[in-house]
């Protein structure tokens, strides 16, 4: 299986995934907006065993109990998202979630949907015809 690399803006943190992401989508939730300073973020996932940090260390920030957001401690790039408990009735513990834009080749993450559009900023207009969901 092919391996793909990614990392933060300054290069202090690098990671590798095995195979292309199993899923990718645009999240418009208010939590992601605030954490990233953006209207939405494109997350991707692979099996947890298929995500390895190859350089540096991902720092963790936890505002909401059980939700861990990973970032580069040097440049601040958001890298990962992990949930210790079920999210919207789904167990994500077997997955490694990461910001698709941090891939060296982000085109391998092909978003399938927009989620949490109930939090969508009114100045964002969809032109991609992907399915949308008010929550996840």
């Amino acid at each position: 299986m092919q391996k793909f690399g990614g990392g933060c803006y300054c290069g202090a943190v690098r990671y590798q995934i095995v195979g292309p992401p199993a899923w990718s989508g645009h999240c418009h939730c208010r939590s992601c907006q605030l954490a990233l300073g953006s209207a939405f973020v494109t997350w991707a996932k692979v099996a947890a065993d298929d995500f390895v940090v190859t350089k540096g260390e991902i720092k963790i920030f936890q505002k909401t109990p059980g939700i861990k957001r990973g970032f580069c401690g040097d440049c601040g790039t958001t890298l990962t998202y992990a949930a210790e408990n079920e999210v919207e009735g789904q167990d994500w513990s077997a997955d490694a979630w990461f910001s698709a834009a941090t891939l060296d080749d982000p085109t391998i993450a092909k978003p399938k949907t927009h989620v949490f559009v109930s939090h969508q900023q009114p100045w964002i207009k969809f032109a991609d015809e992907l399915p949308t969901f008010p929550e996840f």
Side-chain angles (χ1 to χ4, degrees), residues 47-94:
D49 291 343
D50 291 340
F51 182 95
V52 177
V53 176
T54 58
K55 178 183 174 190
E57 180 183 343
I58 295 177
K59 303 288 184 184
I60 301 296
F61 176 76
Q62 185 170 311
K63 178 182 177 189
T64 304
I67 303 295
K68 296 179 179 179
R69 292 180 178 274
F71 65 97
C72 172
D74 292 338
C75 68
T77 300
T78 293
L79 295 164
T80 61
Y81 177 95
E84 294 175 345
N85 305 310
E86 285 188 1
V87 176
E88 302 291 319
Q90 300 175 45
D91 180 5
W92 292 359
S93 62

Side-chain angles (χ1 to χ4, degrees), residues 10-128:
C10 73
V13 177
R14 297 284 304 158
Y15 65 82
Q16 186 175 75
I17 61 171
V18 177
W23 185 89
S24 180
H26 306 297
C27 181
H28 297 264
C29 81
R30 189 66 181 134
S31 179
C32 282
Q33 290 173 10
L34 291 169
L36 278 80
S38 182
F40 64 93
V41 61
T42 305
W43 292 113
K45 75 171 182 173
V46 293
D49 291 343
D50 291 340
F51 182 95
V52 177
V53 176
T54 58
K55 178 183 174 190
E57 180 183 343
I58 295 177
K59 303 288 184 184
I60 301 296
F61 176 76
Q62 185 170 311
K63 178 182 177 189
T64 304
I67 303 295
K68 296 179 179 179
R69 292 180 178 274
F71 65 97
C72 172
D74 292 338
C75 68
T77 300
T78 293
L79 295 164
T80 61
Y81 177 95
E84 294 175 345
N85 305 310
E86 285 188 1
V87 176
E88 302 291 319
Q90 300 175 45
D91 180 5
W92 292 359
S93 62
D95 301 319
W97 293 83
F98 57 95
S99 171
T102 64
L103 285 162
D104 294 339
D105 179 8
T107 64
I108 67 166
K110 297 178 179 19
K112 307 220 182 301
T113 188
H114 290 270
V115 297
F116 287 103
V117 295
S118 59
H119 301 193
Q120 173 190 346
Q121 293 303 312
W123 33 266
I124 295 293
K125 305 296 180 209
F126 301 136
D128 56 22

